């Protein structure tokens, strides 16, 4: 006999999605990652990239979720216009600053 486990959306909103502990944990992880990305970029001599690194917090819109629940997020954002090419390669050599920082952080 298989039974589905249902979670009440109001309970999720109150206890998980708007929980200050959850949002602060997400923010803390992004804030630990950002300086590592900056350090790697500076070590490689890319000052513009390093200066454009910042942490952004918000809520996902929930449009793709079947329950349409909005979830909190915190992410490291790079404002350098060529950040994608520097990360993955293309016209510029592949540097992988974010990838290397995540591997170094080990979480």
């Amino acid at each position: 006999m298989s039974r589905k486990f249902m979670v009440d959306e109001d309970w999720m909103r109150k206890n998980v999605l708007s929980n200050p502990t959850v949002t602060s944990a997400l923010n803390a992880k992004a804030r630990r990652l950002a300086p590592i990305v900056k350090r790697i970029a500076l070590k490689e001599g890319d000052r513009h990239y390093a200066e454009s690194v910042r942490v952004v917090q918000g809520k996902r819109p929930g449009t793709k979720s079947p329950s349409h629940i909005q979830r909190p997020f915190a992410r490291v954002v790079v404002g350098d216009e060529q950040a994608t090419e520097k990360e993955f390669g293309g016209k510029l050599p592949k540097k992988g600053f974010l990838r290397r920082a995540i591997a170094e952080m080990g979480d």
Side-chain angles (χ1 to χ4, degrees), residues 5-79:
F5 179 74
M6 298 295 288
V7 176
D8 181 43
E9 286 186 36
D10 289 333
W11 183 89
M12 280 288 285
R13 278 187 183 70
K14 282 191 271 186
N15 295 302
V16 177
L17 302 174
S18 62
N19 187 325
T21 306
V22 171
T23 55
S24 67
L26 291 168
N27 191 35
K29 189 166 188 174
R31 292 208 180 278
R32 281 195 329 262
L33 182 62
I36 298 171
V37 174
K38 288 180 181 183
R39 181 179 45 76
I40 292 171
L42 287 172
K43 186 177 169 185
E44 295 284 328
D46 198 335
R47 187 175 194 78
H48 180 65
Y49 187 99
E51 290 173 350
S52 71
V53 173
R54 66 187 190 282
V55 174
V56 175
Q57 285 185 277
K59 287 196 177 220
R60 299 180 194 278
T63 54
K64 293 183 181 179
S65 168
S67 61
H68 299 289
I69 291 179
Q70 296 179 337
R71 297 176 300 152
F73 71 83
R75 66 175 57 125
V76 175
V77 176
V78 181

Side-chain angles (χ1 to χ4, degrees), residues 84-105:
T84 302
E85 290 180 359
K86 290 177 182 178
E87 186 68 24
F88 301 109
K91 293 180 183 176
L92 298 173
K94 180 178 177 178
K95 298 288 186 175
F97 297 135
L98 284 167
R99 175 185 47 81
R100 290 164 46 196
I102 291 168
E104 188 176 311
M105 195 166 84

